[in-house]
Amino acid sequence: MEVIENLEDNLEKIKKEIDKDNLVIFPTETVYGIGANALRSSSVNKIFEVKTRALNNPLIVHLKDKSEIKKYAYVSNEIEQRLIDAFMPGPFTIVLKKKDIIPNCVTANLDTVGIRIPINPIANRFLEYVKVPIAAPSANISSRPSGTKVSDIKDEFEGKVNYIIDGGESKIGLESTVVKVIDNIPTILRPGFITKEDIEEVIGVCNVSSHVLSEIKETEKVESPGMLYKHYAPKTKCLLVYSDDINKLKKIIKDNLVDKTIILGSDKLNDINCYKYVNYGNSLEEIAHNIFSKLRECDKLNGDLIIIEGVKKEGLGLAIMNRLIRTSNFNYKEL
Ligand code: TXA
Ligand code: MG
């Protein structure tokens, strides 16, 4: 895999790769994406193959600017338009009724399509130059933590993808907020950097899908197929713990220590005696930024258990907990 450090000098090479129906990994402000020409099934199918992604999990289509949206989807009501005006470009994906030009494999046969316009200048330059919409999931093998750093991604896709455009560490570190307007109410299908509170400020109301923090039963109707799968997980077993009382938090951790326990958390847990302690930062922004690469780091320490400190499920904390609950495969204790 070639790491492209200067996109300007390599634009033609990258465009040719996309035109050959191959995949290119590119940076965005949320996480890295593994992209293909969204208008060609033969390209898009390679994403599913390389990621070993379930065929019924739809992909997000990335566009260079807002004027492109109507080529690929219908903006059917005023709420959708106001969300687009307020949050795009940015870490926000809107699920809209799709136009026929988008192949069914992109949307897993749904009649809707997720549309995102990144704000990262490297992503924008790439999208502008290739002149096609780019279908892209996060750059990680399915079920593993999302790729936020070139070195992590290179390990995973070496020999499978020819080019990765280097944009440094992903600024935000968690994937975009996915929103669908249902019965005129914006509904968060996957929380992200744009929070429920941010959307309420603009629209007045915002619902959160009940699947954001819970396991989905096989018989349930799901609006967000991505929530069905084991996700964001290291190979080592994980336990997620939370309490807003530090003494209770330490008690849960001590009660669950095993031989080689790795603790992943903030400064306040650095005095617990365990096999290894890994700091993930102290503010919600720092935790979001670090979480996926720190989970990978913990996995390399060959422990028996990773105990992860949870956060309050508010604001950006909701997105962090949505990921960590799945990281730990719903192995969650709260006091
Ligand atoms: O920040 C991001 O969104 C990153 C970067 C690369 O843009 N992309 C990303 O893609 O996270 P992926 O494939 O890992 O996650 C896409 C999520 C899944 O949960 C999927 O189910 C949901 O978006 N999704 C996509 N299209 C949908 C649709 N038509 N209806 C409902 N959910 C959809
Ligand atoms: Mg993903």
Side-chain angles (χ1 to χ4, degrees):
M1 185 190 300
E2 188 185 336
V3 179
I4 304 284
E5 271 157 17
N6 185 338
L7 178 59
E8 273 317 302
D9 294 348
N10 291 278
L11 282 165
E12 208 41 48
K13 190 153 88 180
I14 293 294
K15 178 167 165 42
K16 281 205 182 105
E17 190 70 359
I18 292 291
D19 289 345
K20 276 194 284 185
D21 287 348
N22 284 335
L23 309 180
V24 169
I25 299 175
F26 64 101
T28 82
E29 67 277 18
T30 56
V31 298
Y32 276 78
I34 176 165
N37 182 346
L39 300 181
R40 290 181 56 86
S41 307
S42 45
S43 301
V44 171
N45 288 336
K46 287 184 186 166
I47 296 179
F48 286 93
E49 243 168 69
V50 163
K51 276 194 61 134
T52 63
R53 182 178 174 104
L55 293 172
N56 61 351
N57 192 5
L59 302 174
I60 295 172
V61 173
H62 297 68
L63 304 177
K64 70 175 164 64
D65 60 49
K66 287 194 224 189
S67 68
E68 297 267 293
I69 297 176
K70 56 183 180 302
K71 291 190 192 164
Y72 307 108
Y74 298 93
V75 177
S76 317
N77 57 61
E78 193 211 323
I79 307 282
E80 289 173 350
Q81 188 58 54
R82 281 166 60 198
L83 289 168
I84 293 167
D85 293 343
F87 300 114
M88 296 170 86
F92 186 84
T93 296
I94 188 156
V95 173
L96 298 171
K97 189 166 172 3
K98 92 178 198 44
K99 291 197 170 172
D100 289 342
I101 185 171
I102 299 288
N104 289 327
C105 61
V106 172
T107 62
N109 292 317
L110 296 175
D111 62 358
T112 54
V113 58
I115 301 275
R116 176 155 123 77
I117 302 163
I119 203 164
N120 174 305
I122 300 177
N124 296 146
R125 185 69 175 129
F126 162 66
L127 290 166
E128 175 192 61
Y129 200 85
V130 297
K131 295 195 168 56
V132 289
I134 295 288
S138 50
N140 53 278
I141 301 292
S142 284
S143 90
R144 304 269 296 132
S146 304
T148 56
K149 220 161 122 171
V150 169
S151 53
D152 289 344
I153 300 166
K154 215 167 168 277
D155 282 355
E156 220 156 271
F157 290 104
E158 195 63 69
K160 294 179 181 158
V161 177
N162 294 329
Y163 298 107
I164 177 165
I165 306 170
D166 192 347
E169 280 186 28
S170 309
K171 203 167 161 197
I172 294 174
L174 289 183
E175 304 84 345
S176 62
T177 308
V178 178
V179 173
K180 184 177 181 184
V181 176
I182 302 173
D183 297 332
N184 270 319
I185 299 178
T187 306
I188 295 181
L189 305 184
R190 179 182 69 184
F193 189 77
I194 304 286
T195 61
K196 171 180 160 65
E197 294 79 2
D198 294 332
I199 296 170
E200 278 170 349
E201 214 164 279
V202 175
I203 308 290
V205 282
C206 178
N207 288 340
V208 177
S209 159
S210 61
H211 298 139
V212 161
L213 293 173
S214 68
E215 229 167 332
I216 300 173
K217 297 188 199 82
E218 269 174 38
T219 48
E220 273 181 282
K221 177 178 183 284
V222 283
E223 286 289 357
S224 184
M227 295 285 154
L228 276 168
Y229 306 101
K230 183 177 171 221
H231 239 120
Y232 318 113
K235 290 172 186 129
T236 315
K237 187 179 171 197
C238 297
L239 168 67
L240 176 64
V241 295
Y242 177 74
S243 174
D244 51 18
D245 175 329
I246 179 69
N247 296 318
K248 285 185 184 163
L249 181 66
K250 287 188 173 172
K251 180 173 170 10
I252 318 177
I253 294 177
K254 285 179 186 152
D255 287 350
N256 285 281
L257 286 174
V258 296
D259 217 14
K260 285 162 85 181
T261 301
I262 300 158
I263 294 180
L264 176 60
S266 64
D267 285 348
K268 60 177 183 264
L269 298 182
N270 69 4
D271 58 348
I272 300 180
N273 200 359
C274 64
Y275 169 62
K276 292 262 158 61
Y277 160 79
V278 176
N279 188 292
Y280 67 16
N282 291 299
S283 66
L284 293 178
E285 281 75 14
E286 279 172 7
I287 298 168
H289 177 83
N290 294 331
I291 192 68
F292 289 134
S293 61
K294 291 292 176 186
L295 283 166
R296 286 173 187 271
E297 191 180 313
C298 289
D299 222 6
K300 291 188 186 136
L301 298 173
N302 293 315
D304 298 323
L305 176 69
I306 306 170
I307 298 187
I308 312 168
E309 179 189 348
V311 298
K312 201 171 176 153
K313 302 175 197 107
E314 269 177 26
L316 185 54
L318 183 67
I320 294 170
M321 287 302 271
N322 165 261
R323 306 313 191 270
L324 289 179
I325 277 177
R326 284 169 173 79
T327 292
S328 56
N329 202 13
F330 298 93
N331 188 17
Y332 175 49
K333 293 189 179 164
E334 183 175 332
L335 262 187

